[in-house]
Amino acid sequence: MLLKSVDNIFWLGRYLERLDDTARLVNATSHLLIDSHKDTQFSWPVLLDVMGLDSKTALANYQLPPDATPEQASIEYAVMAHLISNSASTVSIRHTCSQLKYNARSIRQLIPRDMWEELNKLDIFLQQHCQQPGGRQQRYNLMTEVSRRCQMVVGVLDGVMLRSDAFDLFNIGRHLERADMTTRIMDVMVLQQLQPTQIKRPKFRWTSILNALGGIESYHYYLAHQSGDVDAIDYLLTYADFPRSIAYCLNRVAASAKGLPHSISILQQVHQLQALLKTEPLTELSTEQLHQLIDHIQAGIINLHKVIATPAENLSRAQLSA
Amino acid sequence: MSVKSFTRGGYPLTENCFDELVSSDGSVRPVAAAIARFIDKHGATELCQRQDQLNQTISDMGVCFTLYSDGNNIDRAWPLDVMPRTIPSTEWQTTSAGLKQRLTALNLFIDDLYNKQNILKDGVVPADLVLQSRNYLAPCQGISPRFGVWANICGTDLVRDEDGRFLVLEDNLRVPSGVSYMLENRTVMKRVFPELFAESTIYPVDDYPHQLWRMLASLSPRHSDVPCIVLLTPGIYNSAYFEHSFLAQQTGIELAENTDLFVEDDIVYLKKLHGKQRVDVIYRRVDDVFIDPQAFRPDSVLGIAGLIKAWAKGNVSIANAPGSGVADDKVVYAYVPQIIQYYLGEKPLIDNVETFLCLDPKQKSYVLANLDKLVVKPANESGGYGILIGPRSTLAEQQQMAEAIKANPRNFIAQPTLNLSTAPTLCDGALEPRHLDLRPFILQGKELYCTTGGLSRVALKRGSLVVNSSQGGGSKDTWIINDEV
């Protein structure tokens, strides 16, 4: 494959996973609200903060439709519009899908016909159905459908794509993004607990997050088979058998990187991230410390991304002239 | 079989036009019998439903073309009419032989022009006409590409006259496009009409990508290795990018832009993930004057510096070879029958459309006196641009054209307004005749190959003769149907 295509195929994997995980992030909040006491204050802007935005700026002068109902005029509506339907928002599902399409188009020659078709169908579906954030129940179904369609694309790819550098880079992109998004979804929980609130400290349960990540049963399995003091945080960060844990994603990145010319640089970064997970006594972390750890992991993921996306800068001289 | 079977309300044949599916006495042609039975059985409503299904399939498959409009690029869904166009296989055999004959002669002609120029010395084609053409590229003199073949991929536009005879309208020898739509049209139609494919013997078209690869591979200057073949595209914003990426994907060759290639010691290399790789064959989809700023246009941002030198040394093949365009000049077109006779000693199997050359004073006077009846074309444009269709033009347009002809007679030819053939086309729920042409694709490397049928382009407006997709044209799947007993 062309050197130039590295970036596109890698981002194709990242954007596809980001679509799926953004949908899960939205649904994690639905679960949180369902599972909490009716008077619990939920901080909607946190959802934008965890995506790396300054929620105050993002929500300032938010353009609501002129015929907005009182429900739509709420902060919940604005945050959801920013995450789902506003194509000008860099974290919205519609924007991510446009980016996905752009990258797919750039490397069409690497994409099998069946996957190309599935990507088109995904795009058509999202552009049609994500025009509005919708009410909670409608939204829940829509987000579930978004996740399902993303997985269709991955499934088709897995069934027909040549096992090549492009396939490896796609999978690296997917798992890097997944690790990143799992930390962000965890951060929703952490930041909710750090919110100043007039009422008693909100008691959100990790169960909601685990539900949205499709990991509730395997968490119970984990508890039943693990000795010592463990919790959902250990599980999401270190349980390498759960395919949305950070540990699993890093293993997959390392395994997929082996055949790439710049694998040495990639593996070095992966090891640094793995070391970060091992040194922390996770169950003893305070909420603030957990938030800091998540920040460190995210910084490590950014470094890893840089190494992967710039193979030419991470090759030895001998490799370049080969 | 009655015509009424097509529309229930009757099918209005166009006067003095050959219809592809319906004879002048109103009966359905034998090759269209299965289609007529389908419509008889299911009716127009079902046809409309299939058209909807077809449109949905095209959007799911992402078959599109790009229009440049107001400086923006717009992806449009590819327009395909639900009604196929049918051609009997026995007729296609002679047509395809004629197309191969024509390309063989044209390649002998180009090779001669850049080398011995015998045809000019013998006065068969006027030397000035060729040597002054802007498509005659002096840096190509003295070069003879592999097999002496310059135009490896040719898209020849065919039309039928009112008697149903195929005529060549023009030869596209530079960067002919459209073959991807021929292939995708078939894929879509098979999904939409599985029963019709089961019922008739419709010749397949899907060996084209493999034939294209074989032809390109035959051009490789190195014999021992698996050749490295690259499709050179201007990039994702080009109007034909869909086709470029599609063909690269279907043939398994690399899709590269100029920035992915470089020349070192007269060898072309590709920048790959694991290092540089020597390139053997470049299927260029960039106009030749843009491919090397050192040889041709210094302002080109699409080119690769040093490419022409590498090519001239025989280190890389380029398809189509730079300079091939000299033979798709519309003035040279008028001489193709003589060219075929000169090199092959044969009569053309497919005739040209009658053509008047404005560089000849007598013919120019005739053209100027008959602008309201003729179709006038600039010699070097494509895509249907710059054409005057006499009977549909205003007086002002005719006067403007007259001035242009007087200023530069060499640059214009004229042809009678043709009664292009028609085929039933679904328009607002009913079948109406629409004019169409046919672009088959012919490959020449070590061997010759012609597509089974080609891309049928149809003018969607009633009475219109403009079939170009950039100007509101649509397309039809072309069925070569076995009619041998």
Side-chain angles (χ1 to χ4, degrees):
Chain A
M1 73 182 268
L2 296 185
L3 183 59
K4 173 190 66 182
S5 306
V6 167
D7 204 44
N8 294 120
I9 187 82
F10 172 62
W11 271 112
L12 188 76
R14 282 205 76 158
Y15 281 125
L16 186 62
E17 183 69 28
R18 188 173 296 178
L19 270 183
D20 182 359
D21 293 343
T22 306
R24 288 174 191 275
L25 171 74
V26 169
N27 271 356
T29 61
S30 307
H31 285 293
L32 279 176
L33 291 170
I34 292 164
D35 289 346
S36 51
H37 187 268
K38 65 181 170 63
D39 294 330
T40 308
Q41 285 185 343
F42 183 78
S43 171
W44 291 100
V46 158
L47 294 182
L48 301 183
D49 295 331
V50 300
M51 295 299 279
L53 299 180
D54 174 17
S55 55
K56 279 208 183 84
T57 317
L59 295 171
N61 306 317
Y62 208 83
Q63 293 295 317
L64 290 171
D67 54 344
T69 62
E71 192 203 7
Q72 286 174 338
S74 70
I75 189 95
E76 174 181 351
Y77 184 88
V79 169
M80 286 300 145
H82 212 69
L83 282 174
I84 297 170
S85 53
N86 181 351
S87 53
S89 150
T90 53
V91 298
S92 74
I93 283 179
R94 279 182 73 192
H95 175 86
T96 303
C97 190
S98 300
Q99 296 296 108
L100 179 72
K101 194 80 197 292
Y102 172 84
N103 280 282
R105 198 182 142 116
S106 303
I107 44 163
R108 164 83 199 271
Q109 76 280 10
L110 296 173
I111 300 176
R113 176 189 276 274
D114 293 356
M115 179 185 174
W116 174 253
E117 194 167 327
E118 215 52 60
L119 277 169
N120 278 313
K121 287 183 187 166
L122 174 69
D123 180 50
I124 294 166
F125 176 83
L126 291 180
Q127 302 307 342
Q128 273 175 2
H129 292 85
C130 293
Q131 306 262 345
Q132 297 288 329
R136 282 186 192 172
Q137 191 252 342
Q138 204 185 348
R139 199 158 70 213
Y140 183 80
N141 290 336
L142 179 62
M143 293 301 107
T144 308
E145 184 61 16
V146 170
S147 278
R148 194 183 72 81
R149 283 175 180 261
C150 289
Q151 290 173 72
M152 291 267 285
V153 178
V154 177
V156 170
L157 171 129
D158 193 62
V160 293
M161 192 168 177
L162 285 178
R163 269 37 183 178
S164 57
D165 292 331
F167 180 79
D168 288 337
L169 281 159
F170 176 84
N171 275 315
I172 289 175
R174 264 182 75 215
H175 288 96
L176 190 77
E177 181 69 26
R178 183 181 287 182
D180 190 44
M181 285 298 281
T182 297
T183 62
R184 291 178 196 275
I185 292 171
M186 288 175 75
D187 219 13
V188 172
M189 192 69 184
V190 173
L191 289 179
Q192 290 297 342
Q193 285 169 359
L194 291 176
Q195 287 296 307
T197 168
Q198 278 109 33
I199 60 162
K200 58 177 183 167
R201 175 75 48 208
K203 287 251 163 55
F204 294 115
R205 297 170 62 227
W206 280 95
T207 323
S208 319
I209 299 286
L210 296 174
N211 252 322
L213 291 174
I216 191 74
E217 292 87 359
S218 46
Y219 176 56
H220 292 144
Y221 178 88
Y222 171 73
L223 289 181
H225 292 79
Q226 212 68 20
S227 60
D229 190 16
V230 290
D231 61 13
I233 296 160
D234 291 283
Y235 170 75
L236 289 173
L237 293 178
T238 67
Y239 187 46
D241 288 351
F242 174 54
R244 293 193 171 270
S245 72
I246 310 302
Y248 173 84
C249 293
L250 292 176
N251 286 348
R252 281 301 301 270
V253 170
S256 297
K258 277 183 185 143
L260 299 177
H262 53 320
S263 60
I264 295 172
S265 316
I266 297 174
L267 293 177
Q268 277 170 353
Q269 284 297 328
V270 171
H271 292 323
Q272 282 185 22
L273 268 164
Q274 284 169 332
L276 204 56
L277 297 179
K278 275 176 193 150
T279 51
E280 304 280 347
L282 295 174
T283 44
E284 289 164 29
L285 292 181
S286 68
T287 310
E288 276 90 354
Q289 286 169 322
L290 182 57
H291 180 58
Q292 277 168 12
L293 174 62
I294 287 174
D295 271 356
H296 287 145
I297 295 172
Q298 287 174 355
I301 289 173
I302 291 171
N303 290 334
L304 181 53
H305 174 115
K306 283 182 191 153
V307 172
I308 296 164
T310 52
E313 291 164 31
N314 290 286
L315 287 179
S316 65
R317 227 165 242 291
Q319 280 173 309
L320 274 173
S321 58
Chain B
M1 198 168 296
S2 148
V3 176
K4 288 190 176 164
S5 64
F6 263 153
T7 59
R8 309 235 172 240
Y11 171 70
L13 283 166
T14 308
E15 212 178 325
N16 295 328
C17 283
F18 178 91
D19 192 274
E20 303 283 338
L21 275 68
V22 182
S23 318
S24 53
D25 66 1
S27 63
V28 171
R29 297 186 190 281
V31 280
I35 300 166
R37 277 199 300 275
F38 177 87
I39 297 170
D40 263 353
K41 190 172 166 193
H42 300 287
T45 319
E46 177 68 18
L47 209 54
C48 293
Q49 281 170 7
R50 300 277 173 124
Q51 179 75 57
D52 291 345
Q53 190 191 335
L54 180 153
N55 294 344
Q56 184 61 50
T57 308
I58 282 183
S59 98
D60 286 349
M61 281 169 56
V63 186
C64 59
F65 71 107
T66 309
L67 272 183
Y68 300 129
S69 168
D70 303 328
N72 291 318
N73 281 68
I74 302 160
D75 274 351
R76 288 270 171 85
W78 173 248
L80 170 62
D81 180 54
V82 74
M83 284 290 285
R85 180 238 195 114
T86 49
I87 298 172
S89 62
T90 44
E91 184 187 17
W92 188 250
Q93 279 162 17
T94 49
T95 309
S96 126
L99 292 164
K100 289 177 185 172
Q101 176 199 50
R102 195 173 172 97
L103 184 60
T104 306
L106 284 170
N107 273 314
L108 289 165
F109 173 63
I110 305 170
D111 202 44
D112 189 18
L113 290 185
Y114 286 114
N115 290 282
K116 293 183 179 159
Q117 303 191 336
N118 287 331
I119 198 167
L120 306 183
K121 289 172 191 156
D122 291 338
V124 176
V125 176
D128 284 0
L129 185 129
V130 171
L131 302 178
Q132 283 167 18
S133 161
R134 63 172 172 169
N135 293 319
Y136 183 78
L137 302 181
C140 301
Q141 280 167 357
I143 294 172
S144 185
R146 218 163 144 63
F147 312 114
V149 174
W150 291 69
N152 307 101
I153 301 141
C154 172
T156 303
D157 290 347
L158 297 176
V159 293
R160 284 190 200 266
D161 64 10
E162 52 189 83
D163 301 323
R165 272 192 323 147
F166 273 125
L167 299 174
V168 173
L169 188 62
E170 62 185 57
D171 306 286
N172 296 284
L173 300 176
R174 285 174 264 193
V175 280
S177 64
V179 75
S180 57
Y181 299 108
M182 173 193 87
L183 295 166
E184 290 292 67
N185 281 357
R186 179 58 56 87
T187 308
V188 173
M189 289 294 274
K190 278 181 175 172
R191 290 195 199 179
V192 175
F193 287 112
E195 60 271 69
L196 281 178
F197 280 87
E199 216 179 301
S200 340
T201 307
I202 302 165
Y203 288 19
V205 296
D206 57 5
D207 65 335
Y208 180 81
H210 180 63
Q211 295 290 346
L212 175 64
W213 182 88
R214 267 170 53 106
M215 184 280 291
L216 292 169
S218 78
L219 305 181
S220 173
R222 291 188 298 168
H223 301 288
S224 51
D225 295 312
V226 177
C228 171
I229 308 173
V230 168
L231 190 154
L232 176 64
T233 172
I236 65 165
Y237 297 110
N238 184 267
S239 65
Y241 179 77
F242 170 83
E243 173 150 309
H244 305 163
S245 58
F246 176 86
L247 288 176
Q249 198 259 348
Q250 292 286 303
T251 52
I253 65 180
E254 295 283 2
L255 179 67
E257 292 175 43
N258 62 329
T259 48
D260 299 312
L261 295 161
F262 63 98
V263 180
E264 216 171 68
D265 299 328
D266 300 326
I267 307 273
V268 184
Y269 293 100
L270 186 61
K271 295 179 198 165
K272 297 191 73 173
L273 173 57
H274 289 270
K276 65 181 184 185
Q277 183 179 1
R278 182 176 167 169
V279 175
D280 298 297
V281 183
I282 297 176
Y283 174 18
R284 54 134 181 140
R285 296 297 298 256
V286 174
D287 280 341
D288 46 16
V289 292
F290 289 100
I291 60 175
D292 183 353
Q294 284 179 3
F296 305 116
R297 289 182 56 152
D299 60 332
S300 169
V301 291
L302 304 171
I304 302 133
L307 176 60
I308 290 298
K309 212 171 146 213
W311 173 66
K313 281 197 161 188
N315 291 337
V316 68
S317 291
I318 302 175
N320 290 347
S324 304
V326 68
D328 91 358
D329 184 304
K330 291 187 179 71
V331 181
V332 170
Y333 160 87
Y335 290 92
V336 175
Q338 289 94 307
I339 290 171
I340 293 175
Q341 183 70 46
Y342 181 80
Y343 292 107
L344 304 178
E346 297 170 5
K347 286 210 173 313
L349 295 171
I350 313 172
D351 287 331
N352 269 7
V353 175
E354 186 187 10
T355 302
F356 305 100
L357 297 176
C358 294
L359 84 152
D360 178 284
K362 267 190 197 161
Q363 296 184 40
K364 183 174 75 177
S365 308
Y366 175 80
V367 171
L368 290 173
N370 291 283
L371 282 175
D372 57 333
K373 299 182 191 73
L374 298 168
V375 176
V376 185
K377 296 175 178 177
N380 289 305
E381 295 288 339
S382 62
Y385 294 103
I387 290 182
L388 176 89
I389 299 177
R392 278 168 212 162
S393 61
T394 63
L395 207 58
E397 285 166 342
Q398 290 169 26
Q399 277 164 356
Q400 210 182 341
M401 182 53 91
E403 293 308 316
I405 292 173
K406 284 176 198 161
N408 187 3
R410 160 68 180 81
N411 199 36
F412 292 94
I413 59 138
Q415 293 167 335
T417 310
L418 295 170
N419 294 323
L420 294 190
S421 61
T422 57
T425 303
L426 191 63
C427 303
D428 292 327
L431 290 174
E432 292 185 18
R434 289 291 183 266
H435 296 291
L436 75 174
D437 77 353
L438 177 64
R439 180 179 285 184
F441 295 85
I442 309 99
L443 302 176
Q444 188 178 4
K446 193 178 175 191
E447 293 157 17
L448 272 164
Y449 168 83
C450 177
T451 49
T452 314
L455 177 66
S456 286
R457 301 183 300 173
V458 55
L460 294 175
K461 279 187 217 141
R462 184 191 305 240
S464 168
L465 299 172
V466 182
V467 297
N468 307 77
S469 55
S470 54
Q471 299 193 42
S475 72
K476 283 173 173 289
D477 192 18
T478 310
W479 292 1
I480 305 298
I481 294 187
N482 185 10
D483 65 334
E484 288 173 89
V485 186

